[in-house]
Amino acid sequence: MHPQPAKKRHDVLPSSALRKAPDRLRPAVQSEARSVGVVQRAALMGFETGLETEGLVGVLREYDRALEVQLHADPSTLGADGADRSEFTWILLDADGLGLAVEAGVVALHARMPHAHVLVFGKSEFVPEIDRLLRRGAAAYVPRRFAHDAILAVLALVEAGERFRPASENPTDEHGADQHAIGGVAARTLSEFGLTKAEREVLMLVAQGKTNLQIALELGKREGTVRVQMSSILKKLKVSNRAAAILVAMRDPTMINAQLERVQEKPLDLDWLYPHMDFRRCRAGDVLFRKGDLGREMYVVQRGRVSLTQLGLEMHEKDIFGEIAIFAPNHRRTSTAVCAMDTDLFVLGEEQVRQMHYVNPAFALTVLQLITNRLLADRQRGN
């Protein structure tokens, strides 16, 4: 854990040129035209509107569904005149967008809202710059390479009162101080920490957000056995909770490669996705869409069958379809979809699909493979 930074005050915070949040982000993100009022739990995002911002909104909403997320064109005006001071739980700043001004921004916002957790996101992992931001009041520095699970873990660590920055390439800085995140945990492979193969398998499933019971069922073990293995994992990694263990795992290339191989070898586990989807019940003969229609939704079959008439394909339980139109430039359907029998579907809207691509790389890889295989099959039929 890093020492608490000394509190300093600055009166200058350069503006960040954020555009108005699009309607599709409401209510998760409020437009800058809406006055920023006092709310019980709120997050301020100093980011440009775009897919990355939408993805981060999705992560925040998953972490805390009651959280109100706001974009603001000029964070320096918050509380500047004492009239619109808001107590935010989280403040997320884009270091790449603010450039050199990010340090002044951290100082000013931390001084005005000392109880808010300030997280800085950026591409750079240069230790002196990161440490300077932490000393100025940032609670964490999050590299842009961090995916969904790692960001969730950072949020959990920060809210638990810890500070975070990524491990550096070098074990010490020029002053000899430890440069590793999470209480001095080094950026070593899991094997170097002494984790057995069985423990690495458990940790990989933990990184996918599975509970001890779900892990036990998948690995054919007793839940108590998984609990004991989890305690051993935390002890060997010298961390206090699952979130911190995930962060250590995400720094091990072998773990990342294992996750990718798992996606390629086994069907994607969609259980995590269902809570984000709408349920729709259809009758036999119902036309979901026709070839040439605009496509703004992706479907997963829960029960029943759906025929893609022009493609000569039939979708069954847990099959995904309708994804091509979402990513096609003209958003047009390539086939008509008809329910071959009474069918229950889960439906995900276009913006939700794009968010899920950001927050879950395994989902993105699965959909990419699906699109590629279907386009290749369509080309072969054309020949």
Side-chain angles (χ1 to χ4, degrees):
M1 184 183 301
H2 294 278
Q4 295 291 330
K7 294 182 179 179
K8 298 182 181 180
R9 285 188 175 273
H10 264 262
D11 296 325
V12 179
L13 172 62
S15 303
S16 59
L18 299 183
R19 296 186 296 274
K20 183 176 177 181
D23 291 340
R24 62 177 180 268
L25 289 181
R26 299 191 186 108
V29 177
Q30 304 297 319
S31 73
E32 63 184 78
R34 178 186 183 277
S35 61
V36 180
V38 178
V39 292
Q40 187 173 1
R41 289 182 65 81
L44 170 67
M45 290 187 64
F47 276 74
E48 290 281 356
T49 303
L51 290 179
E52 181 183 33
T53 302
E54 295 174 28
L56 283 174
V57 168
V59 175
L60 288 169
R61 295 286 289 177
E62 181 174 343
Y63 183 77
D64 183 351
R65 293 189 180 280
L67 196 67
E68 180 184 353
V69 185
Q70 301 178 11
L71 293 182
H72 200 276
D74 189 357
S76 66
T77 64
L78 290 177
D81 57 4
D84 61 351
R85 183 185 299 272
S86 297
E87 288 300 327
F88 289 95
T89 307
W90 302 94
I91 299 175
L92 280 63
L93 297 177
D94 178 9
D96 301 319
L98 286 172
L100 296 176
V102 68
E103 188 174 333
V106 169
V107 171
L109 288 170
H110 179 66
R112 292 172 185 169
M113 291 169 274
H115 299 296
H117 304 304
V118 180
L119 276 65
V120 179
F121 289 72
K123 294 179 181 177
S124 173
E125 296 187 36
F126 183 52
V127 169
E129 291 180 2
I130 294 173
D131 284 349
R132 199 158 49 242
L133 291 170
L134 293 171
R135 287 195 298 270
R136 295 293 186 264
Y141 183 90
V142 186
R144 272 195 152 82
R145 62 181 169 83
F146 271 27
H148 167 266
D149 290 331
I151 297 174
L152 284 177
V154 172
L155 293 173
L157 286 172
V158 170
E159 191 159 40
E162 300 190 40
R163 306 176 72 76
F164 175 81
R165 61 153 160 71
S168 69
E169 294 295 327
N170 302 312
T172 57
D173 64 7
E174 64 272 21
H175 303 295
D178 181 32
Q179 291 298 320
H180 296 298
I182 320 175
V185 172
R188 295 178 285 166
T189 66
L190 298 177
S191 296
E192 291 174 325
F193 280 106
L195 266 65
T196 65
K197 180 180 178 181
E199 289 170 341
R200 294 197 299 273
E201 289 177 347
V202 168
L203 184 53
M204 182 171 69
L205 295 176
V206 169
Q208 295 174 15
K210 294 183 181 295
T211 64
N212 287 347
L213 178 58
Q214 290 172 326
I215 294 171
L217 292 173
E218 179 155 342
L219 298 179
K221 300 180 178 182
R222 294 180 181 273
E223 185 179 3
T225 302
V226 175
R227 192 179 300 115
V228 171
Q229 288 179 317
M230 198 63 227
S231 297
S232 175
I233 291 169
L234 297 180
K235 183 177 180 180
K236 290 179 179 179
L237 297 183
K238 298 180 181 180
V239 295
S240 59
N241 52 53
R242 296 164 76 97
I246 292 172
L247 282 172
V248 177
M250 294 298 290
R251 296 203 298 269
D252 183 352
T254 60
M255 175 65 73
I256 297 172
N257 291 334
Q259 295 279 26
L260 292 175
E261 290 173 4
R262 184 180 180 85
V263 173
Q264 293 171 338
E265 293 172 359
K266 295 183 63 176
L268 178 68
D269 184 356
L270 295 174
D271 289 346
W272 66 274
L273 187 60
Y274 292 142
H276 303 279
M277 305 182 80
D278 295 326
F279 176 77
R280 189 173 300 171
R281 176 159 290 170
C282 304
R283 298 290 187 186
D286 284 355
V287 177
L288 300 176
F289 51 80
R290 297 184 185 279
K291 183 177 181 179
D293 287 350
L294 283 174
R296 301 293 186 183
E297 295 176 327
M298 189 188 79
Y299 302 84
V300 179
V301 180
Q302 185 198 32
R303 180 187 63 87
R305 299 197 312 273
V306 176
S307 297
L308 303 180
T309 56
Q310 280 80 9
L311 301 179
L313 299 176
E314 194 167 77
M315 302 292 102
H316 300 86
E317 183 180 344
K318 292 192 175 182
D319 282 344
I320 298 172
F321 66 98
E323 76 291 339
I324 293 179
I326 289 178
F327 296 98
N330 60 4
H331 294 286
R332 297 291 177 180
R333 297 292 187 188
T334 58
S335 178
T336 299
V338 182
C339 293
M341 59 184 292
D342 290 351
T343 302
D344 292 338
L345 299 167
F346 286 111
V347 184
L348 199 63
E350 177 185 5
E351 294 308 319
Q352 290 174 300
V353 172
R354 294 182 184 277
Q355 286 184 19
M356 294 306 165
H357 268 65
Y358 176 80
V359 303
N360 192 318
F363 174 75
L365 181 58
T366 297
V367 173
L368 177 61
Q369 291 174 330
L370 191 62
I371 292 174
T372 301
N373 290 338
R374 287 181 177 164
L375 291 176
L376 287 174
D378 187 52
R379 182 175 180 179
Q380 289 174 352
R381 281 191 295 271
N383 293 334

